[in-house]
Amino acid sequence: MSISAPQPLPQSTDSAARTGGTVTNRLVEANRRYAAEFQDPGMDARPVLRVAVVACMDARLDLHEALGLELGDCHTIRNAGGVVTDDVIRSLTISQRALGTRSVVLIHHTGCGLLNLTEDFRHELEAEVGQRPSWAVEAFKDLDTDVRQSMQRVRTSPFLLHTDDVRGFVFDVTTGLLREVAPRE
């Protein structure tokens, strides 16, 4: 099985393609409607709550709704798995040192796609395209263990000023509830 095999499109996307539109065209049109009513909120880039949230990119996670956040409340950093990578540390460093955040919330979730991947994904990708990815998959088998590892990466980064308020959670995609993960002792 090729790792780049196309996946079936959701019904709404499929109908857009049949009518000659693309998903991107639909998004651009939605932006035009949004901009027609848009009023500058007069904020700067510093989050009101002085918090950065690191979470998975999974489309089922509506972080603002799930956490009761409003526009301007937080910095949101998302990637596959919500894993604390070098790039996440880069973003958190800028968030803290240049934009005043003090707290970090890490959110993984049930049913994550990284639970089923391995580093074989990289090898298959290399075989398919002829070039080895420079990045690690960062797959994991246990949510709590990976949340703890992510908390540890944040707490031990020499670049971050504020590592005393770092908490990790698992979001249950079927109930919408967060479950806190205790840090390593």
Side-chain angles (χ1 to χ4, degrees), residues 23-93:
V23 173
T24 304
N25 287 345
R26 191 182 95 211
L27 299 175
V28 170
E29 182 55 37
N31 174 257
R32 285 188 188 109
R33 290 189 302 274
Y34 171 79
E37 304 290 322
F38 182 78
Q39 293 181 6
D40 180 355
M43 312 175 171
D44 67 16
R46 291 181 292 250
V48 173
L49 298 180
R50 297 168 60 148
V51 63
V53 178
V54 179
C56 185
M57 66 186 189
D58 192 294
R60 296 171 290 180
L61 277 65
D62 183 346
L63 293 173
H64 276 74
E65 187 71 21
L67 301 174
L69 296 167
E70 300 292 330
L71 181 67
D73 281 349
C74 72
H75 283 160
T76 306
I77 304 161
R78 296 180 80 159
N79 67 20
V83 177
V84 176
T85 61
D86 286 346
D87 194 58
V88 169
I89 293 294
R90 172 189 160 271
S91 293
L92 288 172
T93 301

Side-chain angles (χ1 to χ4, degrees), residues 99-152:
L99 298 167
T101 59
R102 299 289 182 265
S103 300
V104 178
V105 173
L106 305 168
I107 301 177
H108 283 34
H109 66 91
T110 59
C112 184
L114 283 188
L115 287 165
N116 299 318
L117 284 180
T118 66
E119 284 300 314
D120 288 342
F121 180 83
R122 286 180 72 220
H123 303 302
E124 293 165 7
L125 191 57
E126 179 180 12
E128 182 178 321
V129 303
Q131 182 177 340
R132 169 170 261 174
S134 61
W135 38 263
V137 174
E138 296 273 0
F140 45 85
K141 294 290 182 200
D142 182 87
L143 288 167
D144 288 24
T145 299
D146 201 68
V147 170
R148 284 186 189 99
Q149 177 177 305
S150 291
M151 285 190 282
Q152 189 66 16

